[in-house]
Amino acid sequence: MFNALIVSKDEEGKTHAAVEQIGEDRLPDGEVTVAVEYSTVNYKDGLCIGPGGGLVRNYPHVPGIDFAGTVETSADDRYKPGDKVVLTGWRVGEAHWGGYAQKARAKADWLVPLPDGLDTRQAMAVGTAGFTAMLAVMALEDHGIKSGPVLVCGAAGGVGSVATAILAKLGHEVAAVTGRPETADYLKSLGATQIVAREEINETVKRPLEGETWGGCVDAVGGAMLARVLGQMQYGASVAAVGLAGGAGLPATVIPFLLRGVNLLGIDSVMQPYENRLRAWKRIAKDLPMDKLESMVHPATLSDLPKLGSDILKGQVKGRIVVDVNA
Ligand code: NDP
């Protein structure tokens, strides 16, 4: 028997989340069974734990869109008992039971062996948010980061914190956009050289093009903020769009694309092929300063999750929450 956060739906359609003891026979199909050590809390987890539950495909459900742990049994030659592995994406925690349990079972194709230089706790301090931040930085690099500061929108959140630390470690000037002025010292400690107030970027400007300011951008916010940023990019610079914490609409014009050659790059962490995932995890082990990562971490247990899921949806989480499923 092991502990799991089970989200169930009652006859009136209301969802309830509680830690329960369950048996291995309840785990879903998959070639590899993993003794989970750590998971995290991402924006999507908030949606899956909460009353809306829009992303959940089956009840009762174990959320947790990522986890890291040790292989217990494997019917696939690529993994053997004792191997350390990490999983992000593939709709785990949405359509397939996820990491908020002491055991998980998954397809071998969805896993990645933990690269040298990262332990399971560090891997989940990075988690889906940090993995996505790395994908965003790699996409900017592939298209060329221009001179001048790189903007990070939603900087104090999970994706933004890791993106800030990676970009600073790579030697870029980082301008961090935040709606929480009290996080300025934290963002500077991660390597941000400039703090930009959210209102400054959000104020309405009628002109579709402004001064060429940013050499690149990692955007976790979307909406009006992304629309404004597009008109502030340097000629030929790229915006890696990761999220929609500030809205799914995009009230923009085509002018920045036509007259400034701006690239809008969509980043999807969910369906990344194995080779890309391995490449990104190796880059994380190499390019993410681990002391900075440690300063982003807030520890949590399975029983903390219902409250934390609601906090992240309100934009109240700073940095990364690491869930020790055995605590
Ligand atoms: P967090 O909640 O940790 O961070 C989001 C940040 O966005 C907040 O901390 C806040 O930053 C800012 N923000 C929140 N609400 C608003 C608002 N109304 N207007 C402007 N800024 C706002 O979430 P994550 O970093 O984990 O995820 C960010 C987004 O990325 C989410 O939409 C998530 O679903 C998406 N995502 C996408 C992935 C992909 O594969 N494409 C993978 C992972 C996440 P501050 O306090 O600094 O202002």
Side-chain angles (χ1 to χ4, degrees):
M1 299 290 276
F2 61 93
N3 291 335
L5 182 85
I6 305 272
V7 180
S8 45
K9 204 174 216 175
D10 66 21
E11 283 164 3
E12 289 162 7
K14 280 197 187 138
T15 56
H16 306 268
V19 179
E20 292 178 25
Q21 284 236 309
I22 60 169
E24 262 191 53
D25 56 320
R26 294 200 45 200
L27 286 173
D29 290 343
E31 297 95 21
V32 186
T33 303
V34 177
V36 178
E37 289 159 30
Y38 298 97
S39 185
T40 77
V41 183
N42 297 275
Y43 196 84
K44 266 188 182 174
D45 295 315
L47 295 173
C48 291
I49 300 170
L55 300 173
V56 175
R57 288 290 163 266
N58 47 30
Y59 288 98
H61 182 69
V62 175
I65 65 167
D66 47 23
F67 61 80
T70 305
V71 171
E72 254 186 19
T73 60
S74 171
D76 185 287
D77 289 346
R78 285 169 289 177
Y79 297 100
K80 59 180 188 321
D83 287 351
K84 300 288 181 189
V85 289
V86 56
L87 186 150
T88 59
W90 303 97
R91 310 208 54 222
V92 168
E94 300 171 52
H96 185 95
W97 280 15
Y100 292 168
Q102 291 170 316
K103 282 182 204 276
R105 192 173 286 145
K107 287 196 175 176
D109 284 343
W110 298 343
L111 297 163
V112 175
L114 211 58
D116 290 344
L118 272 188
D119 62 30
T120 50
R121 184 174 174 279
Q122 287 167 327
M124 281 299 100
V126 174
T128 301
F131 171 70
T132 307
M134 189 76 241
L135 291 176
V137 172
M138 285 163 52
L140 292 183
E141 288 174 344
D142 288 347
H143 287 77
I145 297 179
K146 307 292 172 193
S147 62
V150 179
L151 195 68
V152 176
C153 299
V159 175
S161 293
V162 180
T164 299
I166 293 173
L167 287 162
K169 165 92 185 290
L170 292 171
H172 299 288
E173 240 182 278
V174 181
V177 182
T178 183
R180 292 181 278 177
E182 69 278 13
T183 63
D185 287 345
Y186 163 72
L187 292 168
K188 283 182 189 156
S189 78
L190 298 181
T193 45
Q194 192 181 338
I195 307 297
V196 182
R198 186 188 291 177
E199 308 80 64
E200 223 175 283
I201 300 271
N202 264 356
E203 72 188 14
T204 314
V205 168
K206 291 271 185 312
R207 283 168 293 145
L209 289 179
E210 300 175 66
E212 292 182 50
T213 308
W214 315 117
C217 172
V218 174
D219 174 63
V221 174
M225 184 179 290
L226 172 57
R228 175 101 193 267
V229 164
L230 288 171
Q232 298 180 338
M233 301 304 296
Q234 291 199 14
Y235 190 89
S238 303
V239 177
V242 163
L244 41 66
L250 184 59
T253 75
V254 293
I255 306 292
F257 307 111
L258 302 181
L259 298 187
R260 289 246 174 100
V262 170
N263 303 301
L264 181 56
L265 313 172
I267 305 299
D268 172 41
S269 65
V270 177
M271 307 308 265
Q272 285 291 323
Y274 177 81
E275 286 309 324
N276 292 2
R277 277 180 284 141
L278 198 58
R279 189 171 142 238
W281 279 106
K282 285 184 174 166
R283 282 285 310 268
I284 287 165
K286 177 169 156 282
D287 289 331
L288 178 61
M290 291 303 149
D291 55 329
K292 302 241 178 345
L293 182 67
E294 206 47 50
S295 75
M296 299 174 202
V297 169
H298 302 275
T301 65
L302 286 179
S303 49
D304 296 329
L305 287 166
K307 174 171 184 320
L308 291 171
S310 139
D311 288 350
I312 199 162
L313 295 182
K314 293 183 206 142
Q316 288 173 351
V317 166
K318 186 176 92 179
R320 301 281 302 132
I321 298 167
V322 176
V323 184
D324 180 348
V325 300
N326 297 302

